[in-house]
């Protein structure tokens, strides 16, 4: 026997499903002000979304950092293998490059989300300062806004600095993967070893910047949570 379809249960679930689809659509098509208003109606304020996006950006950077470490390790081991199928070596390095590119794009997307919601939050905060009837409370809120903007500026600067370090590393990887693809021979492997030192230096610099950015994100999140408490 097949289980009976329950139209009542379906009707109860439908509004939640519809609401979720609407929110995703608003976000996807760039209707940010409507999206944020809709999120606030279900209890998610811009401040909470900002902290959430910072957390996601931090996690994306952590993932990208580990992927770049993995790619460098795989790259080094592959170049040091004697013999074997050169096509296999290319396939391994190309897979690492594609994963690194995907992780890097995730970092870019997360940072863009942080910038978007932060801009909306600060605009709203600035506009609402005019609504205070108490000069003392307005002054206190203005002080908090200034402090938060200063902390945010440090955070986004660190994130952007780490973001710019990704492209040179990816460019190096892409060059080497393409070189292997077009020159699948032993001479290609031997000549690429000279590039290894440059790649190692680039990744070391990238990881350093990412760790600084992750640390800045942790500090920002802790500060926002402290203020909320």
């Amino acid at each position: 026997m097949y289980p009976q379809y329950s139209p009542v249960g379906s009707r109860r679930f439908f509004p939640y499903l519809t609401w979720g689809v609407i929110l995703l659509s608003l976000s996807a098509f760039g209707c940010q002000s409507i999206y944020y208003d809709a999120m606030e109606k279900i209890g998610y304020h811009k401040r909470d979304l900002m902290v959430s996006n910072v957390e996601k950006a931090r996690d994306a950077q952590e993932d990208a950092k580990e992927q770049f470490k993995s790619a460098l390790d795989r790259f080094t081991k592959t170049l040091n293998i004697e013999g074997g199928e050169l096509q296999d070596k290319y396939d391994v390095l190309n897979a690492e490059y594609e994963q690194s590119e995907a992780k890097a794009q995730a970092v870019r997307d997360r940072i863009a989300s942080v910038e978007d919601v932060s801009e909306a939050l600060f605009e709203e905060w600035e506009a609402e300062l005019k609504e205070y009837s108490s000069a003392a409370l307005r002054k206190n809120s203005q002080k908090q806004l200034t402090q938060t903007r200063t902390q945010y500026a440090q955070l986004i600067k660190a994130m952007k600095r780490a973001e710019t370090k990704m492209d040179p590393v990816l460019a190096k990887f892409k060059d080497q993967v393409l070189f292997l693809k077009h020159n699948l021979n032993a001479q290609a492997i031997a000549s690429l070893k000279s590039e290894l030192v440059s790649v190692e230096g680039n990744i070391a610099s990238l990881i350093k910047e990412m760790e600084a950015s992750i640390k800045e994100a942790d500090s920002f999140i802790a500060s926002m949570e402290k203020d909320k408490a």
Side-chain angles (χ1 to χ4, degrees):
M1 289 290 291
Y2 292 101
Q4 276 195 322
Y5 172 70
S6 172
V8 176
S10 177
R11 284 198 297 271
R12 282 200 297 264
F13 177 71
F14 184 74
Y16 298 99
L17 178 61
T18 303
W19 187 244
V21 171
I22 290 171
L23 291 178
L24 287 173
S25 299
L26 289 174
S27 178
F29 287 101
C31 305
Q32 295 298 343
S33 60
I34 301 175
Y35 169 72
Y36 293 136
D37 289 343
M39 290 299 285
E40 286 190 3
K41 283 182 171 63
I42 58 173
Y44 293 97
H45 298 281
K46 294 184 184 71
R47 185 185 184 284
D48 302 317
L49 293 172
M50 180 183 184
V51 172
S52 176
N53 284 348
V54 170
E55 289 173 343
K56 291 174 182 176
R58 175 200 60 195
D59 294 343
Q61 288 182 104
E62 188 68 51
D63 287 345
K65 183 186 77 173
E66 294 304 317
Q67 172 56 35
F68 278 113
K69 282 183 178 179
S70 170
L72 176 61
D73 181 62
R74 179 75 70 174
F75 182 76
T76 304
K77 289 178 179 177
T78 300
L79 292 187
N80 288 332
I81 292 174
E82 297 297 333
E85 291 293 330
L86 294 177
Q87 183 65 49
D88 291 342
K89 294 179 179 181
Y90 164 75
D91 290 340
V92 167
L93 292 184
N94 187 54
E96 288 293 337
Y97 166 72
E98 289 179 349
Q99 289 181 41
S100 297
E101 175 59 52
K103 294 292 186 182
Q105 188 58 50
V107 170
R108 297 184 193 106
D109 292 343
R110 291 302 184 187
I111 291 175
S113 295
V114 168
E115 289 182 295
D116 187 78
V117 71
S118 300
E119 180 181 344
L121 170 66
F122 291 136
E123 285 182 0
E124 178 185 73
W125 196 337
E126 187 76 47
E128 289 178 346
L129 287 175
K130 301 173 185 178
E131 298 179 16
Y132 279 99
S133 59
S134 168
L137 289 178
R138 183 189 304 110
K139 183 178 180 181
N140 185 51
S141 185
Q142 177 67 66
K143 181 180 179 181
Q144 288 181 321
L145 172 58
T146 302
Q147 289 174 342
T148 304
R149 271 182 165 155
T150 300
Q151 291 173 321
Y152 170 73
Q154 293 173 343
L155 167 67
I156 205 66
K157 182 179 179 181
M159 285 186 169
K160 286 289 190 179
R161 189 165 57 241
E163 182 181 7
T164 59
K165 293 287 184 178
M166 295 190 299
D167 290 335
V169 174
L170 289 170
K172 284 284 186 182
F173 272 140
K174 186 174 182 179
D175 284 349
Q176 290 146 7
V177 168
L178 284 174
F179 191 73
L180 271 180
K181 180 180 180 180
H182 299 150
N183 300 273
L184 286 173
N185 52 52
Q187 288 75 22
I189 291 292
S191 63
L192 278 176
K193 287 185 179 180
S194 64
E195 293 289 323
L196 184 56
V197 174
S198 175
V199 173
E200 288 175 333
N202 286 341
I203 288 186
S205 177
L206 168 65
I207 289 172
K208 182 179 179 181
E209 293 294 347
M210 281 193 163
E211 287 177 344
S213 180
I214 290 167
K215 184 178 180 181
E216 196 70 45
D218 285 335
S219 176
F220 182 82
I221 291 166
S223 175
M224 294 290 281
E225 292 298 332
K226 182 181 178 182
D227 291 343
K228 187 176 181 180

mmCIF file of all heavy atoms in Angstrom, residues 41-62:
data_model
loop_
_atom_site.group_PDB
_atom_site.id
_atom_site.type_symbol
_atom_site.label_atom_id
_atom_site.label_comp_id
_atom_site.label_asym_id
_atom_site.label_seq_id
_atom_site.Cartn_x
_atom_site.Cartn_y
_atom_site.Cartn_z
ATOM 1 N N LYS A 41 10.872 40.997 9.093
ATOM 2 C CA LYS A 41 9.519 40.590 9.476
ATOM 3 C C LYS A 41 9.504 39.200 10.112
ATOM 4 O O LYS A 41 8.586 38.868 10.873
ATOM 5 C CB LYS A 41 8.598 40.621 8.257
ATOM 6 C CG LYS A 41 8.152 42.022 7.847
ATOM 7 C CD LYS A 41 7.200 41.964 6.676
ATOM 8 C CE LYS A 41 6.578 43.320 6.385
ATOM 9 N NZ LYS A 41 7.549 44.331 5.991
ATOM 10 N N ILE A 42 10.490 38.379 9.793
ATOM 11 C CA ILE A 42 10.551 37.044 10.408
ATOM 12 C C ILE A 42 11.662 36.952 11.457
ATOM 13 O O ILE A 42 12.077 35.861 11.847
ATOM 14 C CB ILE A 42 10.726 35.944 9.335
ATOM 15 C CG1 ILE A 42 11.998 36.165 8.507
ATOM 16 C CG2 ILE A 42 9.521 35.870 8.440
ATOM 17 C CD1 ILE A 42 12.295 35.009 7.543
ATOM 18 N N GLY A 43 12.140 38.147 11.905
ATOM 19 C CA GLY A 43 13.042 38.173 13.053
ATOM 20 C C GLY A 43 14.524 38.230 12.763
ATOM 21 O O GLY A 43 15.338 38.124 13.684
ATOM 22 N N TYR A 44 14.918 38.405 11.486
ATOM 23 C CA TYR A 44 16.334 38.485 11.149
ATOM 24 C C TYR A 44 16.680 39.925 10.771
ATOM 25 O O TYR A 44 16.397 40.369 9.658
ATOM 26 C CB TYR A 44 16.673 37.544 9.982
ATOM 27 C CG TYR A 44 16.536 36.086 10.338
ATOM 28 C CD1 TYR A 44 15.367 35.386 10.028
ATOM 29 C CD2 TYR A 44 17.561 35.401 10.992
ATOM 30 C CE1 TYR A 44 15.234 34.043 10.358
ATOM 31 C CE2 TYR A 44 17.429 34.061 11.328
ATOM 32 C CZ TYR A 44 16.261 33.389 11.005
ATOM 33 O OH TYR A 44 16.131 32.068 11.335
ATOM 34 N N HIS A 45 17.313 40.657 11.689
ATOM 35 C CA HIS A 45 17.639 42.054 11.454
ATOM 36 C C HIS A 45 18.987 42.191 10.739
ATOM 37 O O HIS A 45 19.786 41.258 10.717
ATOM 38 C CB HIS A 45 17.659 42.814 12.783
ATOM 39 C CG HIS A 45 16.318 42.814 13.469
ATOM 40 N ND1 HIS A 45 15.296 43.656 13.106
ATOM 41 C CD2 HIS A 45 15.835 42.037 14.474
ATOM 42 C CE1 HIS A 45 14.230 43.417 13.860
ATOM 43 N NE2 HIS A 45 14.530 42.435 14.697
ATOM 44 N N LYS A 46 19.222 43.375 10.146
ATOM 45 C CA LYS A 46 20.445 43.589 9.370
ATOM 46 C C LYS A 46 21.693 43.320 10.207
ATOM 47 O O LYS A 46 22.686 42.795 9.713
ATOM 48 C CB LYS A 46 20.474 45.023 8.831
ATOM 49 C CG LYS A 46 19.396 45.325 7.805
ATOM 50 C CD LYS A 46 19.568 46.724 7.265
ATOM 51 C CE LYS A 46 18.436 47.082 6.302
ATOM 52 N NZ LYS A 46 17.143 47.278 7.026
ATOM 53 N N ARG A 47 21.637 43.691 11.470
ATOM 54 C CA ARG A 47 22.794 43.470 12.346
ATOM 55 C C ARG A 47 23.107 41.986 12.455
ATOM 56 O O ARG A 47 24.260 41.557 12.398
ATOM 57 C CB ARG A 47 22.491 44.044 13.736
ATOM 58 C CG ARG A 47 23.645 43.982 14.708
ATOM 59 C CD ARG A 47 23.188 44.459 16.084
ATOM 60 N NE ARG A 47 24.284 44.505 17.015
ATOM 61 C CZ ARG A 47 24.828 43.454 17.590
ATOM 62 N NH1 ARG A 47 24.396 42.243 17.279
ATOM 63 N NH2 ARG A 47 25.838 43.575 18.434
ATOM 64 N N ASP A 48 22.041 41.173 12.635
ATOM 65 C CA ASP A 48 22.225 39.725 12.740
ATOM 66 C C ASP A 48 22.724 39.139 11.423
ATOM 67 O O ASP A 48 23.586 38.256 11.405
ATOM 68 C CB ASP A 48 20.908 39.052 13.134
ATOM 69 C CG ASP A 48 20.359 39.580 14.448
ATOM 70 O OD1 ASP A 48 21.164 39.739 15.385
ATOM 71 O OD2 ASP A 48 19.152 39.839 14.539
ATOM 72 N N LEU A 49 22.173 39.651 10.298
ATOM 73 C CA LEU A 49 22.612 39.176 8.986
ATOM 74 C C LEU A 49 24.063 39.554 8.731
ATOM 75 O O LEU A 49 24.825 38.788 8.129
ATOM 76 C CB LEU A 49 21.724 39.771 7.888
ATOM 77 C CG LEU A 49 20.262 39.294 7.877
ATOM 78 C CD1 LEU A 49 19.462 40.107 6.864
ATOM 79 C CD2 LEU A 49 20.171 37.809 7.552
ATOM 80 N N MET A 50 24.455 40.737 9.204
ATOM 81 C CA MET A 50 25.832 41.189 9.031
ATOM 82 C C MET A 50 26.799 40.250 9.746
ATOM 83 O O MET A 50 27.800 39.801 9.181
ATOM 84 C CB MET A 50 25.991 42.608 9.577
ATOM 85 C CG MET A 50 27.383 43.189 9.454
ATOM 86 S SD MET A 50 27.442 44.831 10.225
ATOM 87 C CE MET A 50 29.109 45.314 9.848
ATOM 88 N N VAL A 51 26.498 39.953 11.017
ATOM 89 C CA VAL A 51 27.352 39.047 11.791
ATOM 90 C C VAL A 51 27.380 37.672 11.137
ATOM 91 O O VAL A 51 28.438 37.037 11.021
ATOM 92 C CB VAL A 51 26.864 38.939 13.253
ATOM 93 C CG1 VAL A 51 27.633 37.862 14.003
ATOM 94 C CG2 VAL A 51 27.018 40.283 13.956
ATOM 95 N N SER A 52 26.222 37.203 10.686
ATOM 96 C CA SER A 52 26.141 35.896 10.035
ATOM 97 C C SER A 52 26.992 35.857 8.768
ATOM 98 O O SER A 52 27.705 34.888 8.507
ATOM 99 C CB SER A 52 24.687 35.573 9.693
ATOM 100 O OG SER A 52 24.592 34.358 8.979
ATOM 101 N N ASN A 53 26.938 36.947 7.975
ATOM 102 C CA ASN A 53 27.714 36.993 6.735
ATOM 103 C C ASN A 53 29.213 37.070 7.008
ATOM 104 O O ASN A 53 30.016 36.515 6.254
ATOM 105 C CB ASN A 53 27.278 38.178 5.877
ATOM 106 C CG ASN A 53 25.961 37.920 5.184
ATOM 107 O OD1 ASN A 53 25.468 36.805 5.147
ATOM 108 N ND2 ASN A 53 25.369 38.964 4.634
ATOM 109 N N VAL A 54 29.585 37.772 8.073
ATOM 110 C CA VAL A 54 31.000 37.823 8.455
ATOM 111 C C VAL A 54 31.482 36.424 8.850
ATOM 112 O O VAL A 54 32.582 35.993 8.479
ATOM 113 C CB VAL A 54 31.230 38.813 9.615
ATOM 114 C CG1 VAL A 54 32.652 38.680 10.179
ATOM 115 C CG2 VAL A 54 31.004 40.247 9.145
ATOM 116 N N GLU A 55 30.650 35.721 9.606
ATOM 117 C CA GLU A 55 31.006 34.349 10.001
ATOM 118 C C GLU A 55 31.185 33.461 8.773
ATOM 119 O O GLU A 55 32.129 32.666 8.693
ATOM 120 C CB GLU A 55 29.924 33.772 10.913
ATOM 121 C CG GLU A 55 29.888 34.393 12.296
ATOM 122 C CD GLU A 55 28.704 33.921 13.132
ATOM 123 O OE1 GLU A 55 27.745 33.379 12.531
ATOM 124 O OE2 GLU A 55 28.735 34.081 14.365
ATOM 125 N N LYS A 56 30.273 33.583 7.801
ATOM 126 C CA LYS A 56 30.360 32.767 6.588
ATOM 127 C C LYS A 56 31.587 33.131 5.760
ATOM 128 O O LYS A 56 32.238 32.256 5.173
ATOM 129 C CB LYS A 56 29.081 32.940 5.757
ATOM 130 C CG LYS A 56 27.846 32.320 6.395
ATOM 131 C CD LYS A 56 26.586 32.646 5.606
ATOM 132 C CE LYS A 56 25.347 32.068 6.283
ATOM 133 N NZ LYS A 56 24.100 32.462 5.585
ATOM 134 N N ALA A 57 31.907 34.425 5.703
ATOM 135 C CA ALA A 57 33.097 34.856 4.965
ATOM 136 C C ALA A 57 34.364 34.320 5.629
ATOM 137 O O ALA A 57 35.299 33.874 4.961
ATOM 138 C CB ALA A 57 33.151 36.382 4.889
ATOM 139 N N ARG A 58 34.373 34.375 6.958
ATOM 140 C CA ARG A 58 35.519 33.817 7.704
ATOM 141 C C ARG A 58 35.672 32.330 7.416
ATOM 142 O O ARG A 58 36.788 31.849 7.146
ATOM 143 C CB ARG A 58 35.302 34.030 9.207
ATOM 144 C CG ARG A 58 36.381 33.390 10.092
ATOM 145 C CD ARG A 58 35.863 33.201 11.504
ATOM 146 N NE ARG A 58 34.686 32.323 11.521
ATOM 147 C CZ ARG A 58 33.869 32.227 12.573
ATOM 148 N NH1 ARG A 58 34.086 32.935 13.651
ATOM 149 N NH2 ARG A 58 32.829 31.404 12.523
ATOM 150 N N ASP A 59 34.558 31.600 7.450
ATOM 151 C CA ASP A 59 34.612 30.150 7.190
ATOM 152 C C ASP A 59 35.049 29.860 5.761
ATOM 153 O O ASP A 59 35.790 28.898 5.515
ATOM 154 C CB ASP A 59 33.240 29.519 7.460
ATOM 155 C CG ASP A 59 32.842 29.582 8.932
ATOM 156 O OD1 ASP A 59 33.736 29.806 9.775
ATOM 157 O OD2 ASP A 59 31.649 29.401 9.233
ATOM 158 N N ALA A 60 34.596 30.690 4.816
ATOM 159 C CA ALA A 60 34.996 30.500 3.418
ATOM 160 C C ALA A 60 36.487 30.717 3.241
ATOM 161 O O ALA A 60 37.159 29.995 2.493
ATOM 162 C CB ALA A 60 34.212 31.459 2.513
ATOM 163 N N GLN A 61 37.027 31.708 3.965
ATOM 164 C CA GLN A 61 38.463 31.955 3.901
ATOM 165 C C GLN A 61 39.240 30.798 4.512
ATOM 166 O O GLN A 61 40.298 30.406 4.016
ATOM 167 C CB GLN A 61 38.813 33.260 4.618
ATOM 168 C CG GLN A 61 38.369 34.493 3.866
ATOM 169 C CD GLN A 61 38.760 35.770 4.576
ATOM 170 O OE1 GLN A 61 39.690 36.456 4.182
ATOM 171 N NE2 GLN A 61 38.046 36.102 5.629
ATOM 172 N N GLU A 62 38.720 30.253 5.592
ATOM 173 C CA GLU A 62 39.360 29.102 6.233
ATOM 174 C C GLU A 62 39.385 27.910 5.268
ATOM 175 O O GLU A 62 40.414 27.221 5.135
ATOM 176 C CB GLU A 62 38.605 28.731 7.512
ATOM 177 C CG GLU A 62 39.293 27.679 8.367
ATOM 178 C CD GLU A 62 40.572 28.165 9.008
ATOM 179 O OE1 GLU A 62 40.570 29.231 9.639
ATOM 180 O OE2 GLU A 62 41.599 27.466 8.845
#
